[in-house]
Amino acid sequence: MSILSSTLSSNYSPQPRSTQEHHRDLYISVDSNAASHSRAHRRQFLLFQMASTMLSLASASASASSLSMHDTLKGKVKIGSNSLSTGFVKTKSFGRVSMSVAANVSRFEGITMAPPDPILGVSEAFRADTNDMKLNLGVGAYRTEELQPYVLDVVKKAENLMLQRGENKEYLPIEGLAAFNKATAELLFGADNPLLKEQRVATVQGLSGTGSLRLAAALIERYFPGAKVLISSPTWGNHKNIFNDARVPWSEYRYYDPKTVGLDFEGMIADIKDAPEGSFILLHGCAHNPTGIDPTPDQWEKIADVIQEKNHIPFFDVAYQGFASGSLDTDAASVRLFAARGMELFVAQSYSKNLGLYAERIGAMNVVCSSADAAVRVKSQLKRLARPMYSNPPIHGAKIVANVVGDPTLFKEWKAEMEMMAGRIKNVRQKLFDSLSAKDKSGKDWSFILKQIGMFSFTGLNKAQSENMTNKWHVYLTKDGRISLAGLSLAKCEYLADAIIDSFHNVS
Ligand code: PLA
């Protein structure tokens, strides 16, 4: 027996196969007559050699990116000007045999290389840079003045409490930890908000902000087929991925006006008005990502008016509560304003930033309904959607949040730490503005930096200028010109100002 015979299978199925399936297997003809065994053996070997050669050429061609997905699916491989069909071996059929081609070509040949993530990919590039001056202002993750990751003291204390109590690791219910769900809704709406007493909020623990948004997108896809989600232009890049993956149609509403480096309020209102009645309007609860530009309280009222008029459903993404202004209540004002009008709304929450629980994946999805009865039904469907996706959420972060919020001393300490983090970001924002204003002799007005809030600054640098920041200055940021001030120290402000001034004035 040759090596080849072990890769041959005689259970050929005559059913029609898709071109793709057809491409996955190579069929080779062999003489099944026992009397001519040695001849067949030699013939198998020759065919195998031919197939191997073809396949290595095909895989070389594919890895050189000259093989398009389209060509691959057609089962054709173009080498130079020759077009060779992988079906060539299907000629004589004494008995067709399917051969697994593990030696040279993967079953995954048709899977192309995915591009790096525009935000998380920046951290990967940063890690690979060996320059001493490098600075990671890509992902929104809080760093100390020494540019080190920061674990909040209250988190350490809550974890110690958990250890002392010897808590177990049993599965949580599908909707998550009850104490967490209660705490998270109270933090968002205010503990004495009547809609909590009226039990009109369906709250389920989610896999942080992203997972909660994705769960809500699945609910929209299932129960509002064809409904559109309107997202701001620009927005956090992952919003588009989330709705695309959930097969929920979306379009953009105007938000950022590059001329004023401010909010295009008229455009925003007009686009929300124009959206088909009953659309979902995605709003950043506070600290809009990436622009750092939020509507004023007056503007929020007008946005609520139009949304109500058009029977739209507001969908808040609250990823920075308490982290933007330093106050949990101030940062929840937009959501509370809509809720106070008796509107039904969606709110996704995240504890990545305000409690520094990035990797714990802790957040929640809240659906405010007009009746307790509707809330029970919505919650049951959120659980039904969650079960096949991830079954139930992780316990550790939920316990931390519940312990911090549930203990008056820890809760007070958390607020102080949040203020400290928000304060440090405000200080670097001011220092960056001061450095830019002092160093830039062109008379350019950099005051927009002071008007933006939250952890980001939208610098207005274009793609080429942002690339110059990275390639020449080793400053890592997203290609839309967003910098995370949470990753900046006072000590690095002058260096960053030099990089920005050079990129802005010397790169078109
Ligand atoms: N919503 C908004 C507006 C965000 O900015 C982020 C995080 C999330 C939701 C989700 O965060 P979570 O899943 O960790 O709760 N945006 C970050 C990180 C901070 C990221 O892109 O994942 C950012 O750098 O934009």
Side-chain angles (χ1 to χ4, degrees):
M1 287 289 267
S2 71
I3 319 163
L4 182 60
S5 26
S6 65
T7 65
L8 298 175
S9 113
S10 55
N11 57 350
Y12 167 63
S13 141
Q15 282 130 16
R17 298 162 60 85
S18 70
T19 12
Q20 198 168 356
E21 283 173 315
H22 178 82
H23 175 71
R24 284 193 210 126
D25 295 336
L26 254 190
Y27 296 103
I28 66 169
S29 303
V30 294
D31 190 339
S32 55
N33 185 337
S36 55
H37 183 81
S38 63
R39 228 180 45 224
H41 201 256
R42 256 189 58 225
R43 189 192 178 104
Q44 282 177 6
F45 182 64
L46 281 171
L47 282 165
F48 178 65
Q49 278 196 317
M50 276 172 70
S52 299
T53 312
M54 294 291 300
L55 289 165
S56 27
L57 283 167
S59 84
S61 166
S63 55
S65 320
S66 61
L67 183 63
S68 72
M69 183 71 153
H70 186 65
D71 285 338
T72 311
L73 295 183
K74 277 198 318 202
K76 285 198 167 182
V77 182
K78 283 189 179 158
I79 302 160
S81 57
N82 297 327
S83 175
L84 303 167
S85 166
T86 49
F88 79 104
V89 280
K90 249 175 55 178
T91 49
K92 280 189 189 171
S93 57
F94 297 96
R96 265 202 291 183
V97 186
S98 157
M99 184 187 77
S100 299
V101 285
N104 289 320
V105 166
S106 161
R107 295 295 177 99
F108 312 118
E109 210 60 34
I111 298 181
T112 55
M113 191 66 193
D117 183 81
I119 298 176
L120 300 183
V122 173
S123 299
E124 285 170 35
F126 172 80
R127 278 191 284 273
D129 189 334
T130 52
N131 192 287
D132 284 347
M133 294 307 288
K134 70 176 180 174
L135 195 54
N136 187 5
L137 308 182
V139 69
Y142 182 83
R143 294 281 182 274
T144 61
E145 179 59 27
E146 293 70 41
L147 298 183
Q148 293 307 306
Y150 178 63
V151 179
L152 275 75
D153 283 340
V154 282
V155 168
K156 289 182 195 155
K157 287 180 184 169
E159 284 178 324
N160 276 333
L161 273 177
M162 286 154 68
L163 267 181
Q164 281 163 21
R165 288 180 195 150
E167 284 169 353
N168 65 51
K169 303 285 184 193
E170 296 258 309
Y171 289 132
L172 282 179
I174 304 172
E175 72 263 40
L177 185 74
F180 166 81
N181 287 349
K182 182 174 182 293
T184 199
E186 288 180 357
L187 276 179
L188 181 63
F189 298 107
D192 50 5
N193 197 316
L195 57 85
L196 297 179
K197 217 173 271 142
E198 292 156 13
Q199 301 189 313
R200 291 200 286 113
V201 190
T203 301
V204 295
Q205 185 185 327
L207 304 183
S208 210
T210 308
S212 304
L213 288 161
R214 182 64 179 79
L215 189 62
L219 189 78
I220 294 174
E221 194 269 337
R222 188 160 295 182
Y223 289 98
F224 300 85
K228 219 185 200 188
V229 174
L230 262 78
I231 56 181
S232 61
S233 172
T235 191
W236 176 50
N238 213 19
H239 281 148
K240 294 178 184 176
N241 299 334
I242 288 167
F243 295 113
N244 281 342
D245 275 12
R247 296 170 195 284
V248 171
W250 54 267
S251 64
E252 294 180 309
Y253 60 82
R254 280 169 279 174
Y255 192 84
Y256 174 71
D257 182 354
K259 282 196 268 356
T260 59
V261 201
L263 180 63
D264 178 0
F265 185 62
E266 306 300 316
M268 177 182 186
I269 293 290
D271 291 345
I272 293 174
K273 252 188 198 159
D274 274 358
E277 183 141 334
S279 296
F280 287 82
I281 313 295
L282 192 86
L283 301 158
H284 298 222
C286 63
H288 183 272
N289 179 4
T291 65
I293 300 160
D294 283 354
T296 63
D298 235 31
Q299 288 172 330
W300 275 122
E301 292 281 2
K302 292 197 177 93
I303 295 165
D305 287 345
V306 194
I307 290 180
Q308 248 174 335
E309 241 168 65
K310 289 294 307 263
N311 222 8
H312 295 322
I313 302 178
F315 183 168
F316 281 94
D317 180 358
V318 178
Y320 301 96
Q321 190 185 351
F323 200 75
S325 68
S327 153
L328 284 165
D329 293 326
T330 307
D331 291 349
S334 57
V335 172
R336 292 179 191 176
L337 179 156
F338 279 62
R341 287 178 173 226
M343 297 165 83
E344 298 196 299
L345 54 131
F346 280 27
V347 192
Q349 288 173 282
S350 163
Y351 289 90
S352 291
K353 271 68 71 173
N354 54 11
L355 254 179
L357 294 177
Y358 309 91
E360 296 296 351
R361 312 313 294 147
I362 178 68
M365 185 61 215
N366 304 269
V367 181
V368 177
C369 306
S370 55
S371 69
D373 180 51
V376 171
R377 283 180 282 110
V378 168
K379 187 166 177 170
S380 75
Q381 292 296 343
L382 287 170
K383 287 164 63 176
R384 188 185 188 185
L385 288 162
R387 172 67 166 148
M389 283 206 271
Y390 56 86
S391 199
N392 44 66
I395 197 167
H396 194 74
K399 286 243 157 141
I400 294 172
V401 176
N403 280 331
V404 170
V405 178
D407 179 315
T409 317
L410 288 186
F411 190 44
K412 213 170 137 206
E413 276 183 48
W414 177 34
K415 287 181 176 172
E417 279 194 280
M418 227 164 1
E419 265 178 50
M420 180 276 289
M421 292 189 287
R424 197 188 85 70
I425 296 171
K426 283 181 196 159
N427 289 345
V428 288
R429 192 182 278 287
Q430 181 68 49
K431 174 95 193 271
L432 178 63
F433 166 75
D434 292 343
S435 308
L436 283 166
S437 304
K439 284 169 178 277
D440 187 1
K441 305 295 176 211
S442 74
K444 179 177 163 58
D445 180 8
W446 293 97
S447 64
F448 65 87
I449 290 180
L450 295 180
K451 292 186 197 124
Q452 300 168 343
I453 70 156
M455 73 197 311
F456 299 110
S457 177
F458 207 46
T459 60
L461 293 174
N462 64 28
K463 189 164 176 273
Q465 292 164 338
S466 302
E467 276 165 359
N468 184 64
M469 297 277 289
T470 305
N471 298 340
K472 181 169 169 188
W473 294 88
H474 304 272
V475 175
Y476 287 77
L477 69 164
T478 52
K479 297 282 180 279
D480 57 1
R482 183 194 84 170
I483 53 175
S484 167
L485 297 176
L488 179 63
S489 61
L490 289 172
K492 292 271 188 181
C493 282
E494 302 242 334
Y495 178 76
L496 178 62
D498 287 336
I500 292 175
I501 291 168
D502 171 55
S503 306
F504 185 78
H505 292 297
N506 302 329
V507 180
S508 60

